[in-house]
Amino acid sequence: MKKNLVVLSGAGISAESGVRTFRDSNGLWENHRVEDVASPEGFERNPQLVLDFYNERRRQLNAVQPNEAHRLLAELEQDFNVRIITQNVDDLHERAGSSNVLHLHGELKKVRSVLPGSEPMEWTADLNIGDTDSRGNQLRPHIVWFGEEVPEMAAAEKIVELADLFLLIGTSLQVYPAAGLLHYIPGDCELFVIDPHLTLNITNADNFYRTTATEGMRLLLPRLRKIRN
Ligand code: APR
């Protein structure tokens, strides 16, 4: 039986595709304060600004491609039962061919109505004020903003609890509850990390690739293939 390889990915894995990370540029995210564009209060204050911001991100997504790190992770499905938990709202893991991706913080290409608990739907165009569901409720991006619940947390915890191998790639671990998933890693699970700047001492030096996602995946892949059984 294939071993379970669980991956927690963050903005760093998409950096080499040309998507900016959140915390590598002085606290500004694509020139905006995070509170203005990624909080329910920000949306109440200036919904058009928030919709425009995500419209821009959604358009950018159509112009970028998965990189080698996304592709090598997809390739590992030949050897492992790969479960990806991503904090990213892009669809680059899926476009690279990964078949098992859980989005903790929502997806750029989905929207839902502003009513709590509403179902997400696919959305590829711009979203504007006046775009509503069939009952006339305004639509909003299907994104988990700061201060909001993370509905997929329980599912993510269950996935992590079953990990034989765990890979952390391209995340600063600054955001909870996502970062708390590390507490669910079983004691006998081997932990690998790929990140050029992360300083936390969470695994041994051999398993810590302080480099970019693509370079780190190139180095890690042959090692993982050796321990697949
Ligand atoms: N390859 C791998 N990692 C990289 C690269 C690269 N080329 N470039 C930067 N990184 C690393 C940085 O060192 C950092 O540790 O990616 C990480 C990016 O961290 P953040 O910008 O904080 O992104 P992330 O951890 O995904 O943020 C979590 O915060 O704003 C919220 O909801 C948003 O999902 C996001 C969450």
Side-chain angles (χ1 to χ4, degrees):
M1 222 172 68
K2 285 179 182 171
K3 287 188 172 167
N4 292 335
L5 169 63
V6 177
V7 181
L8 177 61
S9 70
I13 196 169
S14 297
E16 289 163 274
S17 292
V19 182
R20 289 228 203 121
T21 61
F22 302 97
R23 292 180 182 77
D24 287 319
S25 51
N26 307 323
L28 288 184
W29 182 21
E30 298 280 4
N31 302 321
H32 289 278
R33 295 190 320 155
V34 173
E35 312 84 272
D36 290 339
V37 293
S39 74
E41 296 77 20
F43 187 55
E44 239 167 68
R45 251 190 331 262
N46 193 343
Q48 192 62 59
L49 174 85
V50 174
L51 294 183
D52 285 345
F53 177 78
Y54 288 99
N55 287 340
E56 191 52 46
R57 307 276 75 70
R58 201 177 300 109
R59 282 190 219 144
Q60 179 195 35
L61 196 50
N62 293 328
V64 300
Q65 302 298 329
N67 64 53
E68 195 180 347
H70 297 106
R71 284 196 295 272
L72 293 178
L73 273 179
E75 250 180 54
L76 277 172
E77 291 192 8
Q78 293 163 14
D79 307 281
F80 294 94
N81 180 19
V82 182
R83 310 289 304 264
I84 297 179
I85 302 168
T86 188
Q87 298 165 84
N88 299 344
V89 295
D90 65 49
D91 59 353
L92 296 177
H93 281 302
E94 288 90 341
R95 278 159 59 192
S98 282
S99 55
N100 218 320
V101 185
L102 181 143
H103 286 269
L104 268 187
H105 294 160
E107 294 173 69
L108 269 177
K109 289 194 181 161
K110 290 187 180 162
V111 300
R112 62 175 195 264
S113 96
V114 293
L115 293 186
S118 61
E119 278 303 304
M121 57 179 125
E122 306 283 330
W123 196 271
T124 50
D126 282 356
L127 181 63
N128 292 302
I129 292 177
D131 288 332
T132 63
D133 67 6
S134 55
R135 298 186 168 181
N137 301 302
Q138 174 65 43
L139 297 172
R140 58 162 277 180
H142 179 52
I143 301 283
V144 176
W145 287 327
F146 283 95
E148 294 189 313
E149 290 281 311
V150 182
E152 297 293 348
M153 261 319 272
E157 288 163 7
K158 288 210 182 83
I159 293 170
V160 175
E161 280 170 348
L162 295 176
D164 298 306
L165 301 163
F166 191 95
L167 168 62
L168 190 69
I169 181 163
T171 172
S172 64
L173 294 177
Q174 298 282 307
V175 169
Y176 281 81
L181 284 173
L182 298 193
H183 298 301
Y184 293 83
I185 300 176
D188 56 355
C189 170
E190 191 163 4
L191 173 59
F192 299 90
V193 179
I194 300 175
D195 195 295
H197 308 304
L198 191 69
T199 50
L200 292 177
N201 250 341
I202 46 177
T203 193
N204 61 58
D206 278 354
N207 287 5
F208 205 137
Y209 297 87
R210 290 180 202 277
T211 182
T212 62
T214 54
E215 172 71 12
M217 279 305 299
R218 266 182 231 143
L219 297 168
L220 180 60
L221 192 94
R223 266 187 80 190
L224 288 180
R225 287 211 158 125
K226 273 193 201 141
I227 53 174
R228 71 182 148 184
N229 294 314

